[in-house]
Amino acid sequence: MSVAGGGGEVIDPGVATPVYRQLASILRARILDGRIRPDHAVPSEKSLEQEFGISRNTSRRAIALLRDEGLIVTVAGRGSYVVSAAELRVYRP
């Protein structure tokens, strides 16, 4: 059974790719195509849970992966944000 997000993106727990990596891929695409703009907040863990029907741990792992890739930064007590436009331009997957 696959779960569709609000943007029509689909997470399929029945495939070999872990769900957190599928979610990270969806969020990465939203960032790179401008649906989540530089310096703007990434959806909260709770909203990702609700949108995709996933666990909080899954959303945390996806956000951590994007942070490790340098696409987002996390500010304690405030949330996670897309890096600046200048940093985004030099992003290399």
Side-chain angles (χ1 to χ4, degrees), residues 20 23 45 49 54-64:
Y20 80 95
L23 177 59
E45 293 170 358
E49 289 175 60
I54 57 174
S55 73
R56 178 161 285 177
N57 187 51
T58 299
S59 60
R60 282 185 183 154
R61 289 182 74 185
I63 288 170

Side-chain angles (χ1 to χ4, degrees), residues 4 16 22 49-50 53 57 62 76 80:
Q22 292 179 56
E49 289 175 60
Q50 293 171 345
N57 187 51
S80 296

Side-chain angles (χ1 to χ4, degrees), residues 10-84:
V10 175
I11 288 181
D12 186 352
V15 299
T17 304
V19 172
Y20 80 95
R21 288 193 175 274
Q22 292 179 56
L23 177 59
S25 180
I26 289 168
L27 293 174
R28 186 181 305 107
R30 289 179 181 182
I31 291 167
L32 296 176
D33 72 11
R35 287 182 281 167
I36 307 175
R37 297 189 331 249
D39 300 314
H40 284 75
V42 174
S44 69
E45 293 170 358
K46 184 145 187 82
S47 67
L48 292 171
E49 289 175 60
Q50 293 171 345
E51 181 178 354
F52 292 100
I54 57 174
S55 73
R56 178 161 285 177
N57 187 51
T58 299
S59 60
R60 282 185 183 154
R61 289 182 74 185
I63 288 170
L65 181 60
L66 295 176
R67 187 174 44 246
D68 291 347
E69 290 179 5
L71 275 177
I72 64 172
V73 293
T74 300
V75 180
R78 302 233 15 232
S80 296
Y81 297 83
V82 176
V83 296
S84 70

